[in-house]
Amino acid sequence: MAALQAYHDPRDHGACDQCGTGRLDETFTCTTCGQPNGLFGQLIRERLARHRAG
């Protein structure tokens, strides 16, 4: 039982900060909403918003 609780799937990169329900792939992009995650994802979204506004 302890071994099962201690197991971590190396393909699991955590939950999505944007939608909260999706899981991240190896490029830290959400498999559900398609948004990049973390600080890099935030930077991408901010630059994209500025590009679309300008």
Side-chain angles (χ1 to χ4, degrees), residues 45-54:
R45 285 186 295 280
E46 288 173 1
R47 294 210 178 194
L48 182 59
R50 277 189 283 179
H51 177 73
R52 288 181 177 165

Side-chain angles (χ1 to χ4, degrees), residues 29-47:
T29 302
C30 179
T31 57
T32 302
C33 70
Q35 294 293 314
N37 202 51
L39 184 59
F40 178 71
Q42 179 182 350
L43 179 66
I44 297 264
R45 285 186 295 280
E46 288 173 1
R47 294 210 178 194

Side-chain angles (χ1 to χ4, degrees), residues 15-20 22 24 37-39 45:
C16 177
D17 291 338
Q18 298 303 307
C19 69
L24 303 177
N37 202 51
L39 184 59
R45 285 186 295 280

Side-chain angles (χ1 to χ4, degrees), residues 10-31:
R11 296 169 296 174
D12 183 9
H13 298 285
C16 177
D17 291 338
Q18 298 303 307
C19 69
T21 58
R23 301 305 291 176
L24 303 177
D25 66 10
E26 60 277 347
T27 64
F28 297 100
T29 302
C30 179
T31 57

